[in-house]
Amino acid sequence: VQLQASGGGLVQAGGSLRLSCGVSGRTSSHTTAWIRQAPGKEREFVAAIRWSGHTYISDSVKDRFSISEDKAKNIMYLEMNRLKPEDTAVYYCAAGRPPLSNIRQTASYTSWGQGTQVTVSS
């Protein structure tokens, strides 16, 4: 699976951004996800979407972020609203075949895009 993220940038706190991830080579057994890494911190699961369309969102962002996809265009999206400075991170899109029990584990994802920087100023 090949993935390429885009849409990052600098935004003020309270603002919104939509990230996009172009996906190729994905099959019905793959789950695609957004994972972020802040400076000096470990990678953190943000959201995932299965082929069925079922979505999983981290508790830390579930009231502000949403994940979706356009299968016809092979694009996955992360809509981010009411952004906070602590959302500042490199956001990666990734793909894997995790069982449901491991869907929030970053190690479950074996294919990664190059990441896009999101910076939220206070």
Side-chain angles (χ1 to χ4, degrees):
V1 182
Q2 289 78 47
L3 308 105
Q4 184 165 358
S6 61
L10 174 63
V11 63
Q12 287 188 332
S16 299
L17 275 177
R18 187 176 76 162
L19 305 184
S20 301
C21 177
V23 183
S24 63
R26 181 193 184 192
T27 70
S28 60
S29 65
H30 285 97
T31 296
T32 50
W34 288 98
I35 292 165
R36 68 185 181 183
Q37 187 166 24
K41 294 188 177 181
E42 295 187 352
R43 288 178 173 176
E44 176 190 12
F45 171 84
V46 177
I49 186 165
R50 305 204 93 167
W51 184 265
S52 62
H54 284 106
T55 61
Y56 305 84
I57 310 288
S58 169
D59 287 343
S60 65
V61 302
K62 65 180 180 180
D63 294 331
R64 301 182 293 119
F65 292 11
S66 63
I67 186 171
S68 63
E69 65 180 352
D70 184 334
K71 281 184 178 169
K73 296 182 179 179
N74 294 319
I75 299 176
M76 176 177 67
Y77 300 99
L78 183 69
E79 188 76 37
M80 305 186 292
N81 299 307
R82 302 195 305 280
L83 282 161
K84 303 176 181 180
E86 50 262 45
D87 295 319
T88 295
V90 177
Y91 284 71
Y92 298 91
C93 50
R97 296 171 173 162
L100 186 56
S101 58
N102 290 349
I103 203 164
R104 299 172 188 269
Q105 304 300 317
T106 59
S108 298
Y109 297 92
T110 54
S111 298
W112 293 75
Q114 85 287 4
T116 186
Q117 176 71 46
V118 172
T119 302
V120 184
S121 62
S122 57

